[in-house]
Amino acid sequence: MERVVIHTDYIKLDALLKFAGLCETGGEAKERVQAGEVKLNGEVCTMRGKKCVPGDTVELDGRTVHIAEGQ
């Protein structure tokens, strides 16, 4: 499991996919989310603007990213 640190209260799902390197572009992230390919906390999420907070996990293509809070 990979770990991504954010220094804000939340990050939107599509932005997280790009920030974590799971998608190369924001457009790709949007398409993958809307196609139902992304799981947030184990459940498929099709809302690209979904707020992800520290403690959440995101899965795509067999890669899992855990969101951690930065100091």
Side-chain angles (χ1 to χ4, degrees), residues 6-67:
I6 62 171
H7 298 280
T8 56
D9 292 337
Y10 67 89
I11 184 170
K12 291 185 179 179
L13 181 56
D14 57 349
L16 173 72
L17 294 174
K18 186 176 173 187
F19 180 67
L22 297 176
C23 292
E24 291 190 18
T25 65
E28 178 190 353
K30 174 184 171 182
E31 290 176 11
R32 306 285 303 267
V33 171
Q34 290 179 334
E37 299 176 26
V38 179
K39 287 185 179 180
L40 176 63
N41 297 325
E43 296 186 18
V44 172
C45 181
T46 57
M47 298 184 308
R48 64 187 177 118
K50 177 75 174 169
K51 293 180 180 178
C52 301
V53 297
D56 285 348
T57 57
V58 175
E59 299 173 50
L60 177 64
D61 292 339
R63 291 175 62 191
T64 303
V65 173
H66 177 77
I67 304 169

